[in-house]
Amino acid sequence: MIARLICSRGFSTQAKNSFVTTPIFYVNAAPHIGHLYSAVIADAVHRFNRIATPETSRHCFLSTGTDEHGMKIQQAAVLHSTSTEDYCNSISARYRDLFRQFRVDYSRFIRTTETDHRRAVQSFWRTLDASGSIYSANYAGWYCVPDETFLTESQLKENERGEKCSLESGHPVEWTEEQNYMFRLSQYQEEVRYWVKSSEDRVQPEKFRRILLDYLDEPLPDISISRPINRVSWGIPVPTDPSQSVYVWLDALVNYLTVIGYPKEGFGAQWPPTVQVLGKDILKFHGIYWPAFLLAAKLEPPRQLLVHSHWTVDNQKMSKSKFNVVDPAERAELYTHEGLRYFLLREGVAHSDGNYSDTKILRILNSELADTLGNLLSRCCGKALNPASLYPALDKDAFERLKSYDVTNRLLEVLSEMPEKTFQHYQKHNFYLVVDTVIHLLHTTNNFFETTTPWKLKKSESPSDRAMLNAILTITMEVLRQTAIVMQPIIPVLTERLLDKLNIPASARTWEDTKLSFRTKDASLGNQDSILFRRIVPSNENKTEPKQEQRVKSKQKKQVT
């Protein structure tokens, strides 16, 4: 029976639209760079899809939001001496503000406390129930409150104090016995395995696909999908039994359906998600539970899971006790929102943990955004070489003379290869390789600029030398034009300013416009400042330390005194 069902089930890999999601973020604590990283990855995928297929850009959808139910939220509200509702409102607003500041261009910011989500969860529950996938049972097992999940004996270890805790997260567990509802996860194990194996791109990077298949090699136990409401009151009631609340993970996962209008008619036009971005710590929930829930509801699972690793800080795990949790809003005060966004996408590698370092971010932003990209724009748009502020037409004779230089031909070769290379890197979500390719082009262009010495030509009264100068400026501006189009998903604000400076119309900023195109007529540059990104110079050593760490050091000094 299962074999027949698997054979008849078709899982698509080709997108008819673009529906990208971030995980929804748990409001038990303020956002840090790990949360922002998930959001900017999803936003970069979303923005790339829009410029790569502009004819379907109006169908491109990006969702994000906050997960606001569960025991942890109840406890966090008590800890902050506020009501649960006020606590959720406060933290959710911080996420919304953060994403706005970092230009995460979401189509819907969802909160699981919203009315339409409650309706969606209860409708989804009824669908699962009607499929025969839910049954009531007395459940006994180890429950991890910080992870909001039940764990088997094989998922436990003992900590240094001899206490049982989660093998994966290290968080403590407690023995729980209660009456609740169970989901027949074991019934869908083979279909979930088939879904994972049906496409090599289903779970990326490949490392996490292998991890998921290892999970699926072991028999899957049925899972609890509700809690007694007297234990977890801050949740959505089970529609058929108000004495129970819906398990927080089932509640949270349904958000991906809520954002496109489920269960109303027409939601299927956007379903399923094309890319779901998530951290490696929630792979099991998205890679096993979520597709199993969807299969039980006769809905297609997502086309792809894009899993990313975590961030350490100066090679140490982020921890409140170590006072090294990086607040992105705070660090943006020094590095700018666009600079921090660039660093995360430039340095983050999905298959391995990234390392945040103030020394590293300062070096990268100054070297690449200020000295390489910014300086190139200043050179060709500044008054020293371009007092008329023109984007000049390319003189054919001057162009031919420039092509007698090896450095010119090398530049044209690198420029011609760049769009296709970066396109392939975007398709595989390798943003760091996109940047590597662009920075190589910019270095080649700076070398071209140095070798052709336009400042010497500027001093000449010869018309041919003036034509050569204009040709150098035109070629350099063409590099900047293509660079800006390609880098829009990564640094949307800076590229918008650059394209505005070059007076490129909004209708000419899609991937199709990366084809080589030199000016045939002189055109004026925009009125924007030629300085794209200013070098960052900390005023003192403490300026590059998180404020929280500065406060700790200050406190320690007072204690010594």
Side-chain angles (χ1 to χ4, degrees), residues 352-365:
S352 302
D353 288 349
N355 182 50
Y356 178 91
S357 159
D358 282 302
T359 302
K360 185 192 292 186
I361 187 172
L362 194 66
R363 174 178 54 79
I364 286 174
L365 297 186

Side-chain angles (χ1 to χ4, degrees), residues 403 405-417 421 440-441 444-445 447-448:
K403 285 170 70 176
Y405 293 85
D406 288 341
V407 69
T408 307
N409 294 313
R410 176 61 184 149
L411 169 58
L412 294 173
E413 179 185 352
V414 175
L415 178 59
S416 68
E417 294 171 348
K421 284 185 176 181
H440 174 58
L441 169 62
T444 304
T445 310
N447 184 39
F448 161 79

Side-chain angles (χ1 to χ4, degrees), residues 154-411:
S154 65
Q155 295 172 308
L156 301 175
K157 66 178 180 179
E158 285 192 356
N159 60 22
E160 61 278 3
R161 296 186 296 276
E163 300 166 335
K164 286 186 180 293
C165 62
S166 167
L167 178 64
E168 186 173 345
S169 69
H171 294 144
V173 297
E174 58 185 39
W175 183 257
T176 301
E177 297 183 25
E178 59 192 29
Q179 179 82 18
N180 52 28
Y181 289 96
M182 305 291 293
F183 174 76
R184 301 183 193 277
L185 182 63
S186 54
Q187 184 174 313
Y188 298 96
Q189 178 160 353
E190 289 306 313
E191 278 200 87
V192 172
R193 190 204 311 274
Y194 175 72
W195 168 73
V196 174
K197 296 181 76 171
S198 62
S199 169
E200 291 184 358
D201 293 329
R202 185 73 69 204
V203 181
Q204 287 294 317
E206 172 64 21
K207 166 185 176 179
F208 296 112
R209 182 169 176 264
R210 292 195 301 268
I211 290 172
L212 204 52
L213 289 171
D214 286 344
Y215 283 146
L216 290 162
D217 280 342
E218 300 295 325
L220 295 178
D222 292 350
I223 57 170
S224 169
I225 56 169
S226 75
R227 302 295 307 278
I229 208 147
N230 58 7
R231 297 285 300 275
V232 185
S233 59
W234 187 248
I236 297 174
V238 170
T240 55
D241 184 354
S243 72
Q244 298 272 318
S245 61
V246 177
Y247 173 48
V248 66
W249 267 104
L250 174 54
D251 168 357
L253 288 165
V254 174
N255 96 84
Y256 304 126
L257 284 162
T258 307
V259 296
I260 56 162
Y262 176 89
K264 295 177 182 177
E265 287 186 18
F267 81 90
Q270 196 72 50
W271 192 262
T274 47
V275 179
Q276 297 211 261
V277 176
L278 56 134
K280 64 181 182 179
D281 55 321
I282 54 176
L283 173 61
K284 179 175 64 176
F285 299 99
H286 284 78
I288 297 178
Y289 298 172
W290 180 222
F293 292 151
L294 290 168
L295 290 165
K298 295 182 172 53
L299 292 171
E300 185 177 345
R303 292 195 179 93
Q304 185 179 74
L305 301 183
L306 175 55
V307 189
H308 65 77
S309 298
H310 293 162
W311 282 87
T312 59
V313 178
D314 294 324
N315 295 308
Q316 291 190 328
K317 185 177 179 180
M318 269 198 291
S319 166
K320 290 181 182 178
S321 62
K322 294 178 181 177
F323 302 102
N324 68 346
V325 177
V326 179
D327 178 351
E330 177 187 299
R331 304 319 288 144
E333 292 177 13
L334 176 61
Y335 301 125
T336 74
H337 296 97
E338 199 80 338
L340 185 52
R341 178 185 169 116
Y342 177 80
F343 174 79
L344 292 175
L345 291 171
R346 201 260 183 277
E347 281 297 294
V349 180
H351 57 73
S352 302
D353 288 349
N355 182 50
Y356 178 91
S357 159
D358 282 302
T359 302
K360 185 192 292 186
I361 187 172
L362 194 66
R363 174 178 54 79
I364 286 174
L365 297 186
N366 281 340
S367 170
E368 297 182 356
L369 291 188
D371 296 347
T372 301
L373 176 60
N375 189 48
L376 194 60
L377 179 67
S378 296
R379 281 176 141 184
C380 62
C381 296
K383 291 185 177 180
L385 292 180
N386 195 352
S389 195
L390 289 179
Y391 191 150
L394 183 66
D395 182 270
K396 291 182 179 179
D397 292 336
F399 186 48
E400 289 303 317
R401 286 175 60 194
L402 278 172
K403 285 170 70 176
S404 66
Y405 293 85
D406 288 341
V407 69
T408 307
N409 294 313
R410 176 61 184 149
L411 169 58

Side-chain angles (χ1 to χ4, degrees), residues 24-27 65-70 73-74 84-85 87-89 91-93 109-114 234-235 248 251-252:
I24 53 173
F25 303 98
Y26 212 35
V27 296
T66 45
D67 180 4
E68 302 179 22
H69 287 139
I73 307 304
Q74 292 176 210
T84 314
E85 184 177 357
Y87 175 78
C88 289
N89 289 340
I91 302 298
S92 182
F109 186 100
I110 184 172
R111 300 179 59 187
T112 56
T113 48
E114 292 171 336
W234 187 248
V248 66
D251 168 357

Side-chain angles (χ1 to χ4, degrees), residues 32-44:
H32 56 62
I33 58 166
H35 303 123
L36 178 62
Y37 184 48
S38 292
V40 295
I41 288 175
D43 184 62

